[in-house]
Amino acid sequence: MKYLDQSILDLLKKGGFVLYARHGEATVGRDQPYLNFQDCYTQRNLSEVGRREAIYFGQMLRYLQIPISSQIVASPFCRTIETVQLAFPYANVQIDPFGYEIFKLGGNIPIVEKTNILSNLQSMLERKPPQGMNQVIIAHSFPEGVGLGKISNMGMVIVKPKGPGKGYEIVKKLTLKDLAPLDSSSS
């Protein structure tokens, strides 16, 4: 995957996808055992690189003219909310507490809880966005082989929802670099 190929871009321009992205690089601070979503000092936050990644991500989706719903879903962490605000300054941020559940998959949780979270994830990814739009979700990576798997900083998984109870398909996983426009100067 060196770039976003034209066939994928054409599909995205028609809408109907969930664009699940991980937040930008977060290296500032630590997630405290008793983190408080209203207190960013109790959690990891975006680094300067992470802020630039978030801005670039939003710029690239606009440059590529990918239609996105004006309501962007974010996990309740400061790093995901800030990512949305930097990437989509005019968007309406919908904070979804389920992002915390996804985050918990990286920890040591009972198998019953893990199964429940993955079932809820499936329901979320089966929902089709508004006609002609793509739904952006900014949240967290997953452990290897779980959910959508490992996602790089500001990486994105293109998901095709098949409708409630019908599952979803992972169309493509992209890194932030994959969104870069092709170099048109071929000599």
Side-chain angles (χ1 to χ4, degrees), residues 64-126:
L64 295 169
Q65 298 176 344
I66 296 171
I68 56 168
S69 170
S70 62
Q71 191 157 18
I72 310 291
V73 177
S75 167
F77 286 80
C78 293
R79 59 185 173 264
T80 54
I81 295 167
E82 185 179 13
T83 296
V84 171
Q85 291 168 337
L86 291 169
F88 309 103
Y90 303 106
N92 184 358
V93 182
Q94 177 193 342
I95 296 169
D96 188 344
F98 183 66
Y100 178 62
E101 301 297 309
I102 292 169
F103 170 80
K104 289 190 330 189
L105 287 171
N108 191 7
I109 59 174
I111 192 72
V112 172
E113 187 176 1
K114 180 179 177 181
T115 303
N116 192 32
I117 293 169
L118 292 173
S119 173
N120 290 335
L121 172 69
Q122 173 147 348
S123 296
M124 181 173 91
L125 295 176
E126 289 174 342

Side-chain angles (χ1 to χ4, degrees), residues 20-28 44-58 79-80 83 137-142 149-157 173-179:
Y20 181 101
R22 180 183 184 191
H23 56 78
E25 179 187 86
T27 57
V28 180
R44 286 174 46 229
N45 293 288
L46 293 182
S47 65
E48 279 308 311
V49 167
R51 287 187 180 99
R52 287 194 301 273
E53 288 171 338
I55 292 167
Y56 182 74
F57 178 77
R79 59 185 173 264
T80 54
T83 296
I137 299 171
I138 305 287
H140 310 277
S141 184
F142 294 82
K150 284 271 185 213
I151 304 170
S152 59
N153 291 330
M154 226 48 264
M156 176 173 76
V157 180
K173 267 184 136 166
L174 303 169
T175 65
L176 187 57
K177 283 184 181 161
D178 293 330
L179 288 176

